[in-house]
Amino acid sequence: MSLPVFKVEPGRLAGLGPGAALTVTGPEARHAVTVRRLAPGERLELVDGAGTRATGELRAGDRDSMEVGVVSVTTEPARTPRLVLVQALAKGDRDLLAVETATELGVDAVVPWQADRSIVRWKKERAAKSHEKWVHTVAAAAKQSRRAAWPEVLPLSTTPELARLLGEPGTRGLVLHEEAHESLADLAGAAGTPGAPWAGAERIVLVVGPEGGVAPAELEVLAGAGALAVRLGPEVLRSSTAGPAALAVLSAALGRWASGTP
């Protein structure tokens, strides 16, 4: 059975080795001791969200604190190119479902996008709360999938801001569009060739529109920033499934799921 995972602050696991002791306090300790009811002697894992994982043994715990004896510490190398999902805001929490699944699939960062056709709007008074909901969704999914490196949740982006992101050096943008001529599967088949669309890219930014799709004017702006429109297949997917499906194709093509990768 997989060991339960709990998060500590970045840097807390630095320099630790077998035999070291670490005191964890706050909600994570409370969840381990009070909710999961872990007992002394049981094993668990601590991650810092930045790629470091420590396997340990619970030595003692009370309501808000636990002492963990470190058994081993490993650091997972960052995978390249990084995969970034730009998810348009969508109704019915479909955007959150997409972010949750993308996190489980190994995405490196997510960007909420206020698209022209997004029915959901993050007004000033609710923007911070909505963003925090995305952060909590990513955290829960990262723990469930036992990730040591957690995705970053970037600020809400407008289309002009998204275009600037796509235009940054080392970035290759892909926009999912049902009328695109290029097939993501065909491009993925050429992933290892010098002419692949993301050859030499440091990160691939995958853009997914809302329920009504990416507006023509938006597509023009994103294409002007260097993004390539691609389609998945003959079926038209919901905004909650399109991004994760594309991430799965890319992860397989780029070898991120190959044997021996973290």
Side-chain angles (χ1 to χ4, degrees):
M1 179 180 293
S2 298
L3 298 178
V5 173
F6 303 95
K7 187 175 183 295
V8 297
E9 297 82 2
R12 288 292 311 278
L13 303 179
L16 296 183
L22 182 67
T23 299
V24 181
T25 60
E28 291 293 272
R30 188 180 311 117
H31 184 74
V33 177
T34 305
V35 179
R36 294 294 298 264
R37 297 185 180 278
L38 297 183
E42 292 192 72
R43 289 205 168 190
L44 51 82
E45 288 187 345
L46 301 175
V47 299
D48 65 356
T52 301
R53 182 192 309 272
T55 300
E57 183 178 283
L58 182 65
R59 292 180 177 176
D62 55 31
R63 187 174 182 276
D64 296 301
S65 177
M66 64 177 178
E67 182 179 338
V68 178
V70 177
V71 176
S72 64
V73 179
T74 58
T75 299
E76 300 173 0
R79 292 178 287 190
T80 56
R82 286 169 51 84
L83 296 181
V84 179
L85 173 64
V86 175
Q87 177 65 51
L89 304 185
K91 64 180 181 180
D93 282 344
R94 293 194 181 279
D95 47 8
L96 288 174
L97 180 58
V99 167
E100 177 183 56
T101 308
T103 299
E104 294 173 4
L105 291 170
V107 76
D108 297 299
V110 294
V111 182
W113 175 33
Q114 188 72 72
D116 287 348
R117 293 175 175 172
S118 290
I119 296 175
V120 174
R121 297 282 160 177
W122 284 10
K123 303 295 185 181
K124 291 183 178 180
E125 61 273 13
R126 63 175 292 186
K129 183 180 294 185
S130 297
H131 186 272
E132 189 64 22
K133 195 172 182 180
W134 278 49
V135 172
H136 287 317
T137 298
V138 163
K143 290 179 68 174
Q144 186 278 328
S145 52
R146 308 183 71 252
R147 293 185 55 170
W150 290 19
E152 181 182 8
V153 182
L154 298 175
L156 178 68
S157 178
T158 62
T159 299
E161 290 169 338
L162 178 54
R164 287 194 288 273
L165 172 66
L166 293 169
E168 291 182 0
T171 300
R172 187 52 166 131
L174 301 173
V175 182
L176 293 186
H177 197 281
E178 61 188 87
E179 297 179 359
H181 298 294
E182 298 280 2
S183 164
L184 181 60
D186 289 342
L187 295 175
T193 65
W198 43 73
E202 297 175 6
R203 61 180 174 179
I204 298 174
V205 178
L206 181 68
V207 182
V208 179
E211 300 90 333
V214 179
E218 290 175 319
L219 186 59
E220 183 177 351
V221 170
L222 301 182
L228 175 67
V230 297
R231 58 179 172 80
L232 281 172
E235 296 82 11
V236 177
L237 304 184
R238 292 182 182 273
S239 60
S240 56
T241 53
L247 287 170
V249 173
L250 289 171
S251 294
L254 295 167
R256 288 169 62 105
W257 290 351
S259 177
T261 58

